[in-house]
Amino acid sequence: MTPIRHNHSDDAVLDAVRDCVLAVGVRRTTLTDVARRAGVSRMTLYRRWPDVRTLVGDLMTREWVGVAKRARPERRPGVDARSLIVDGLVAGVDGFRAHPLFRKIVDVDPELLLPYVLDRRGASQDALLGLLAEDLRAGHADGSVRVDHTERQARSLLLIVQSFTLSLRTMTDEDDAGLTSEAFLAELRTILERTLTP
């Protein structure tokens, strides 16, 4: 997997587009707004990004991979890989659902996410699959994860957590203790444990 890297000037631009999207949504964000906020010329942006959607795509990749990496527990003695995978995925779903950019896009511009659900994988999904495959191989090695086709297992796990991330709010009922977000995250933990246990 090729690591995703951004230089400092890219990060300044991505920070600017994030601020614009949080303020007005993707459809109302323009390259002029982003350039002004980032303190660069429009031509500087056009040389790197042809349009706002490409810029937002890079922003989503940076933000989503960041959420996943922050949710991923450090390996530590006495804790098997399966426990770390499950903890990281449950924390990741919770982290995505709380992320301000994710919430804004789901609320205002949900069509941006549809291609990555229906048509093709994006750069952030490929990066997440790389992290999952690495963790699954560690679980195969320590005996805590059912040994199977690593890439298929990683993709299946991503399908599960992606569904919980994108659709959980359609299934919750916060007035029913058995149907709260927390109850569903506990159910996700059970699903993941059972699918990964040898």
Side-chain angles (χ1 to χ4, degrees), residues 95-164:
F96 269 99
R97 293 182 67 248
H99 193 286
L101 182 68
F102 179 79
R103 292 168 71 107
K104 184 72 170 189
I105 289 172
V106 167
D107 289 342
V108 178
D109 300 291
E111 70 280 359
L112 277 179
L113 301 174
L114 281 179
Y116 310 111
V117 176
L118 300 177
D119 297 324
R120 62 185 171 82
R121 292 194 313 274
S124 57
Q125 289 162 310
D126 283 337
L128 298 177
L129 288 172
L131 294 174
L132 280 169
E134 180 184 321
D135 292 341
L136 287 165
R137 283 190 287 271
H140 296 161
D142 74 10
S144 65
V145 170
R146 173 177 51 86
V147 177
D148 206 333
H149 188 284
T150 305
E151 191 62 34
R152 188 178 63 242
Q153 279 183 310
R155 292 180 186 196
S156 297
L157 289 175
L158 187 56
L159 283 170
I160 293 167
V161 297
Q162 195 169 269
S163 171
F164 270 77

Side-chain angles (χ1 to χ4, degrees), residues 8-30:
H8 292 302
S9 60
D10 281 358
D11 278 329
V13 171
L14 295 178
D15 289 346
V17 76
R18 181 194 59 210
D19 292 345
C20 288
V21 170
L22 288 175
V24 299
V26 173
R27 276 175 296 209
R28 293 176 56 197
T29 292
T30 67

Side-chain angles (χ1 to χ4, degrees), residues 15 39 43 48 54 57 71 89 99 105 125 157 169 172 181 188:
D15 289 346
M43 286 313 299
R48 181 88 164 74
T54 307
L89 289 175
H99 193 286
I105 289 172
Q125 289 162 310
L157 289 175
R169 72 178 181 175
T172 56
S181 298
L188 172 61

